Amino acid sequence: MSPTGWPMMVTAIFLAVAGPVGTYLLWNRVRGPQPVRAVSRLAMIGVSQVMAILLFGVVVNNYYGLYASWDDLLGETGPPGVIIHGNSVAAGTPAPGSELPPGPGGDAQGGRGAVVPLVPRVRPPGPAQKFDKYGEDSLVTSFTGPKSGLGGQNDVMVWLPPQYNDPAYANTDFPVVMLFPGYPGSPQTWFGNMAGQKELAKLVQQKASTPFVLAAVNISPIKGVNTDCTDIPNGAQVATYIAEDVRTMLQRTFRVTTDRTGWGMMGYSEGGLCAGKLLVQYPQYFGAAVQMSADVRPGGYVSKYGLDFANRNSTLWMLKNHKPNPPVALLAAASAEDAGGSVLTDALSLHDAAPELVDVLKKDYGSHNTEVWKQWLPQAYGWLSAHLDPVKPQS
């Protein structure tokens, strides 16, 4: 029996009802000394509570599609999958432990190739943002965007690769990957359960990824409102907050590139939708993105503003009708077990709409959960390293 579907739901309902009914019927029939009767009754209460928790878990799993099988629940989701490029499995995609082509200084820096000439970096005007230490390896700030007026407490978190403070990189600008959580979620998840910074540090040490600066951002600064990272008419300007306010603040505060070809995004679930759609809406700011287990169209909150508005905030519609200029690169990662295959179907539809811009990371097993997304990280960072600029010398 699968952990999803009606058979499991009916079984869970039956057990949730049978637990308290059985407790009621057997309560006064328990025999033996007082301690034995007390333990037996406590055990019956405990079983009833476990059955209620089981029912709650089944309801939540059915609603969100978190685990498609018992193996999925136990973290056994099979291999991470393969990247499809131009209707064929991509060759040369960096994998864990593989080395990228040498970049500046002879180290494996990743990116799209040659050493870039010394160029002055023009820092956006304005003061640097104050960040505080968070945990053992991250920084955090409470930032309100000047254009959007949005922001909140600890809404932006940053991880700096070890190379950032290495004297050998003192004149180097670093590429950036903005990280988006799901909804509801927080940027802390990327540096907590997802351990995105630890995976990147390991890959950089293996010379399998560029040493990106990671910036995790809250995609729902209006609590309780899921805008799909959209500028709402006469409402919350969430796209502006992320793509303009936060991006500019990071450029003022850290030694990062200001070129669009050094800026990428990555997100899972709702954050994946944000990464894909902001990429096609703001190609002047971003060069590449990875979306994991993501929709290709916005949800109900955006749709209530009309079909045309929803279309212009749909990654799929934009790729079909308004190809981003300058061109961008998108990796759509999806599992065949997620939402009965519809998420993979959507990912393939992005590829069909713009095969020259979209690759698909196709996985056969695993559903909508953290273990699947973590499994994709090595390929995602490797793919971003191949599609974003390497670290650049700075004059």
Side-chain angles (χ1 to χ4, degrees):
M1 185 188 304
S2 168
T4 60
W6 285 110
M8 186 65 195
M9 177 67 76
V10 171
T11 301
I13 292 173
F14 172 78
L15 293 174
V17 172
V21 170
T23 299
Y24 173 78
L25 295 175
L26 297 174
W27 189 266
N28 292 321
R29 298 186 180 185
V30 177
R31 298 291 180 262
Q34 182 65 30
V36 172
R37 294 200 302 272
V39 170
S40 299
R41 288 166 176 167
L42 286 174
M44 289 189 290
I45 294 172
V47 169
S48 298
Q49 291 176 329
V50 168
M51 294 303 102
I53 293 171
L54 173 64
L55 175 60
F56 176 77
V58 170
V59 170
V60 170
N61 189 54
N62 272 0
Y63 184 81
Y64 289 104
L66 301 177
Y67 302 102
S69 66
W70 296 111
D71 285 341
D72 193 12
L73 179 63
L74 297 173
E76 300 295 332
T77 61
V82 295
I83 293 179
I84 301 171
H85 173 75
N87 296 317
S88 63
V89 176
T93 302
S98 64
E99 291 196 1
L100 296 173
D107 292 329
Q109 303 295 346
R112 296 188 294 180
V115 176
V116 180
L118 289 172
V119 292
R121 181 169 75 91
V122 180
R123 187 188 298 271
Q129 180 75 10
K130 182 181 182 298
F131 277 74
D132 298 316
K133 186 172 176 56
Y134 185 93
E136 60 182 22
D137 58 4
S138 305
L139 303 170
V140 69
T141 191
S142 300
F143 169 71
T144 299
K147 288 188 177 181
S148 65
L150 297 177
Q153 187 171 6
N154 297 344
D155 269 4
V156 181
M157 297 187 66
V158 168
W159 177 82
L160 302 174
Q163 290 80 359
Y164 187 90
N165 295 312
D166 186 335
Y169 291 77
N171 294 319
T172 298
D173 289 342
F174 284 79
V176 180
V177 176
M178 299 179 78
L179 303 173
F180 306 139
Y183 178 87
S186 72
Q188 286 80 4
T189 304
W190 264 105
F191 299 149
N193 289 343
M194 284 290 290
Q197 82 285 23
K198 294 180 180 178
E199 184 62 40
L200 178 57
K202 181 174 66 176
L203 293 170
V204 170
Q205 188 175 32
Q206 296 171 350
K207 302 189 184 304
S209 176
T210 294
F212 296 112
V213 168
L214 301 180
V217 184
N218 183 13
I219 64 170
S220 50
I222 306 298
K223 294 191 184 308
V225 179
N226 181 12
T227 69
D228 292 317
C229 297
T230 302
D231 281 352
I232 301 299
N234 301 313
Q237 305 293 288
V238 181
T240 295
Y241 170 68
I242 295 170
E244 298 195 33
D245 286 337
V246 174
R247 183 184 56 86
T248 301
M249 178 270 287
L250 293 171
Q251 291 177 347
R252 287 200 309 258
T253 305
F254 297 99
R255 202 171 67 252
V256 297
T257 181
T258 55
D259 295 337
R260 61 171 292 276
T261 51
W263 280 77
M265 296 172 286
M266 179 160 57
Y268 57 84
S269 191
E270 205 70 35
L273 169 63
C274 291
K277 93 176 195 72
L278 291 177
L279 178 70
V280 298
Q281 289 178 323
Y282 293 91
Q284 72 274 31
Y285 294 153
F286 303 101
V290 177
Q291 63 173 57
M292 300 176 176
S293 304
D295 292 329
V296 298
R297 306 170 189 82
Y301 189 86
V302 172
S303 298
K304 72 180 184 179
Y305 290 91
L307 178 60
D308 182 66
F309 182 73
N311 282 339
R312 294 183 182 278
N313 285 281
S314 162
T315 312
L316 180 59
W317 189 90
M318 291 289 289
L319 285 175
K320 286 181 175 178
N321 296 278
H322 291 282
K323 291 288 194 300
N325 185 27
V328 296
L330 175 63
L331 176 63
S335 169
E337 286 190 328
D338 194 345
S342 64
V343 174
L344 177 58
T345 299
D346 281 348
L348 292 171
S349 70
L350 294 176
H351 178 268
D352 292 341
E356 74 282 9
L357 304 180
V358 181
D359 293 340
V360 175
L361 173 48
K362 178 181 178 293
K363 178 175 169 59
D364 292 327
Y365 302 104
S367 193
H368 203 81
N369 59 72
T370 302
E371 290 305 313
V372 170
W373 303 326
K374 289 174 67 174
Q375 195 178 29
W376 279 329
L377 286 179
Q379 287 166 293
Y381 283 131
W383 184 91
L384 286 168
S385 297
H387 289 83
L388 294 174
D389 287 343
V391 290
K392 296 182 178 181
Q394 177 188 2
S395 62

